[in-house]
Amino acid sequence: LGAGAGGLVSSKQSGRRGAKSAMISEDLAGGDCLNVGCVPSKALIKCAKVAAQMRRAHNYGITSSGPITVDFPAIMANMRTLRSKISPADGHDGTNAAGAQVFQGRGIFTGPNTLEVTNSQNKTSTLTFRKAVIATGGRPFVPKIPGLSDSPFTTNVNLFNLNTLPPRMVILGAGVVALEMAQTF
């Protein structure tokens, strides 16, 4: 149950070894890592590192004819292109090819060995199993800080959809993506 790193690996490896295997994907295949975590954050970190190195290039005898500028929309477009190049490896077709059946929808346990998957058209499939892997990933936590709900804020779920560089940003939290974005922005 889940189509991120844990669900992908579990379902694909089971299928490759001849087991009857299914992966239930409520959201985009690839989970947090591909879509709102590891992959896009590393792409932005690389851009930030290159910009910082270019700003310090004079320390190494390298000069530029003008100031270093950052084209944020181009950086974000590049990040999305990199993410789309990686996505086929994590996609449903690749999981099917590995021998696992893919169900797109929300999975709910209905018994000790049964699970129902309801897709976006409200069609329900009932699956039976001997063993299940629950790999549903994480969700951003928005703390109850007075005034926060009245302020515009972003989480890692929508951060990588930005097209305009925020003039300033406060990072709340100390998770991996928060720490990476604190370095990047």
Side-chain angles (χ1 to χ4, degrees):
L1 181 61
L8 282 166
V9 171
S10 299
S11 62
K12 285 181 174 182
Q13 292 302 328
S14 296
R16 287 182 182 126
R17 288 169 173 69
K20 193 171 180 182
S21 178
M23 180 180 74
I24 294 96
S25 173
E26 183 175 13
D27 293 314
L28 296 170
D32 284 0
C33 186
L34 174 64
N35 298 295
V36 296
C38 314
V39 172
S41 71
K42 300 309 180 284
L44 296 185
I45 287 170
K46 178 66 175 182
C47 292
K49 183 175 182 176
V50 169
Q53 288 173 329
M54 290 177 70
R55 287 185 182 109
R56 291 189 307 269
H58 66 276
N59 293 336
Y60 301 96
I62 301 168
T63 57
S64 173
S65 60
I68 303 303
T69 59
V70 172
D71 182 347
F72 189 74
I75 288 171
M76 297 303 279
N78 179 59
M79 176 270 300
R80 292 180 191 108
T81 298
L82 292 171
R83 189 170 54 188
S84 70
K85 286 180 182 177
I86 295 169
S87 68
D90 290 348
H92 294 164
D93 291 341
T95 303
N96 279 323
Q101 190 173 358
V102 175
F103 292 85
Q104 182 71 43
R106 182 169 182 79
I108 298 174
F109 288 95
T110 55
N113 298 99
T114 57
L115 184 114
E116 280 188 357
V117 181
T118 304
N119 68 19
S120 60
Q121 289 81 37
N122 282 331
K123 181 181 177 224
T124 300
S125 300
T126 300
L127 308 178
T128 59
F129 57 87
R130 284 185 299 144
K131 296 182 180 185
V133 173
I134 302 170
T136 55
R139 306 283 183 275
F141 173 74
V142 179
K144 293 183 180 176
I145 297 173
L148 180 60
S149 63
D150 300 324
S151 303
F153 66 87
T154 188
T155 68
N156 67 309
V157 172
N158 53 8
L159 173 73
F160 301 110
N161 295 328
L162 293 176
N163 288 313
T164 304
L165 180 63
R168 60 194 160 272
M169 185 180 289
V170 173
I171 306 291
L172 296 176
V176 174
V177 176
L179 294 174
E180 290 176 334
M181 293 304 95
Q183 302 175 60
T184 303
F185 286 91

